[in-house]
Amino acid sequence: MTAMSTGHSTSTKPMAVVPGFQLGKPRYDQTTFFGRFRHFMDISDPRCLAPGLFFGMPLERSKELMQQYKTNTLPKETSADTMWQAKKVFDSAIHPDTGDVIPQPFRMSGFAVYGTPIIVAMLMPNPTLARTIFFQALNQTHNACVNYSNRNASQPTSSSDIITGYLGAVASSVTIAVGLNQAVARANISAAARTTLSRFVPYPAVATASTCNMLLMRRSELKNGIAIKDHEGTVHGVSKAAAKSAIFQTMLTRIVLPAPLLVIPPALMMAIQKTPLLKRFPRLALPVETLVCVSAFVFGLPFAISLFPQEGELAVADAEDEFKNLKDSQGN
């Protein structure tokens, strides 16, 4: 098997030894779905926006501990749990390639907090044309900022690719949402059915837009290929077959990702609104829907991202001829 490189570099500085903690390796097994899910639950944990309040670990303290670990100046009594907590807080706010602090609204840990109001507005029944256009565009703008802020900066991304991807995402989401809403409004169905269908319109619009954005942003990879390496980490060149496999898996993720956010909440709300509590107190509908959306964000985002490993594998038989019959350092 050959692995597709993610492009991240590793430090060569001496590091302290903390039993149970290693900087270059994740805390959970990334070869299993559950391990990846726990990993991304950490990354997207909204509590990381205020780590001093929730964990007693301010960002500056986490940066200090990580620096001490790298320079082998960490106090001997520092535990593995403390270092894992420091790494969680550090990784949630600091870009791995640039070292810059990511603005809170664009962090993975801020996705639920800052994205929920947009999703709630998109899921409100009987949307107007202006509301549909505004919130679809706002959602894609937020997504674009999150994607850019968490990009792999080890390889440059041209401004034209960023702008093209963003405009393509906005155009496709607005076009599909407006078109489907118009189709629902003109359909010969009951008012109740029309209201129900209108609440599910955002999903195909957002899923299509996310896929469109990804294909436009990464079209150069299909043309030029991506780095491919063996199990020892030795890069052997670039592969178009690996690029196709990686982009296909990412496309599936982009299709699944909006489902927990845009399908589960409206389905649950239709059931909850029929309960005696909400019939008696209809004003509770908005806060309840907000809570449902936050929960969907917190658990749905890690679920979708965990579907595939961050570093994919490609069977040698599916790679180009130049990658076949190669030997590793042991002669195998």
Side-chain angles (χ1 to χ4, degrees):
M1 304 292 284
T2 52
M4 292 172 281
S5 173
T6 59
H8 291 297
S9 60
T10 55
S11 173
T12 57
K13 294 181 180 180
M15 296 183 182
V17 176
V18 180
F21 175 83
Q22 190 171 348
L23 185 60
K25 294 185 178 181
R27 186 174 190 176
Y28 307 108
D29 183 6
Q30 297 300 284
T31 63
T32 67
F33 171 81
F34 185 65
R36 295 192 295 271
F37 179 75
R38 295 183 69 184
H39 172 71
F40 286 114
M41 279 291 289
D42 270 355
I43 291 177
S44 60
D45 189 343
R47 295 175 298 173
C48 288
L49 295 178
L53 175 64
F54 290 103
F55 306 128
M57 175 76 69
L59 177 59
E60 288 303 316
R61 176 57 178 161
S62 74
K63 292 167 68 175
E64 180 184 2
L65 286 170
M66 297 299 286
Q67 183 61 29
Q68 288 177 337
Y69 181 87
K70 292 178 181 178
T71 57
N72 206 14
T73 57
L74 198 67
K76 293 182 178 180
E77 66 273 13
T78 306
S79 68
D81 286 341
T82 298
M83 288 308 302
W84 283 121
Q85 191 65 70
K87 185 177 186 300
K88 173 177 176 175
V89 173
F90 183 90
D91 288 349
S92 73
I94 306 299
H95 193 286
D97 296 324
T98 66
D100 296 333
V101 177
I102 301 171
Q104 279 201 3
F106 309 141
R107 298 176 190 174
M108 297 303 291
S109 57
F111 206 49
V113 175
Y114 292 94
T116 294
I118 302 173
I119 296 299
V120 171
M122 290 171 62
L123 293 177
M124 292 179 67
N126 305 315
T128 63
L129 177 62
R131 196 177 81 195
T132 299
I133 294 175
F134 176 77
F135 283 107
Q136 284 290 341
L138 181 60
N139 182 58
Q140 291 307 320
T141 300
H142 182 236
N143 288 344
C145 290
V146 171
N147 290 336
Y148 179 79
S149 298
N150 294 276
R151 72 196 184 284
N152 183 339
S154 63
Q155 299 294 329
T157 303
S158 68
S159 298
S160 61
D161 283 345
I162 295 172
I163 294 172
T164 301
Y166 168 68
L167 293 178
V170 172
S172 58
S173 67
V174 169
T175 300
I176 293 173
V178 170
L180 288 177
N181 279 329
Q182 292 294 320
V184 170
R186 295 173 183 174
N188 186 22
I189 55 179
S190 66
R194 188 174 293 111
T195 299
T196 298
L197 286 176
S198 69
R199 299 195 66 162
F200 290 96
V201 164
Y203 170 67
V206 171
T208 303
S210 296
T211 302
C212 177
N213 174 274
M214 185 271 297
L215 292 174
L216 289 171
M217 288 283 290
R218 300 179 65 175
R219 63 186 186 278
S220 62
E221 294 180 14
L222 290 173
K223 179 181 178 181
N224 302 319
I226 61 175
I228 191 169
K229 62 186 181 181
D230 59 25
H231 65 283
E232 295 180 327
T234 302
V235 176
H236 291 278
V238 293
S239 166
K240 293 182 181 180
K244 291 179 181 178
S245 176
I247 289 176
F248 177 73
Q249 292 183 5
T250 306
M251 182 178 68
L252 292 180
T253 302
R254 294 296 177 91
I255 293 172
V256 174
L257 178 57
L261 312 178
L262 299 173
V263 176
I264 295 177
L268 283 177
M269 283 308 300
M270 285 190 295
I272 294 174
Q273 285 173 343
K274 295 178 182 180
T275 61
L277 179 63
L278 258 66
K279 285 183 177 180
R280 184 176 180 181
F281 303 103
R283 291 185 178 181
L284 289 177
L286 184 58
V288 169
E289 183 162 5
T290 301
L291 179 61
V292 170
C293 286
V294 169
S295 301
F297 260 113
V298 171
F299 296 102
L301 177 64
F303 173 84
I305 300 176
S306 302
L307 290 177
F308 299 103
Q310 284 186 290
E311 192 168 74
E313 291 187 342
L314 183 72
V316 175
D318 296 330
E320 290 85 347
D321 290 340
E322 62 186 284
F323 300 111
K324 299 175 180 177
N325 300 316
L326 299 177
K327 295 183 179 181
D328 60 21
S329 62
Q330 304 300 318
N332 298 318

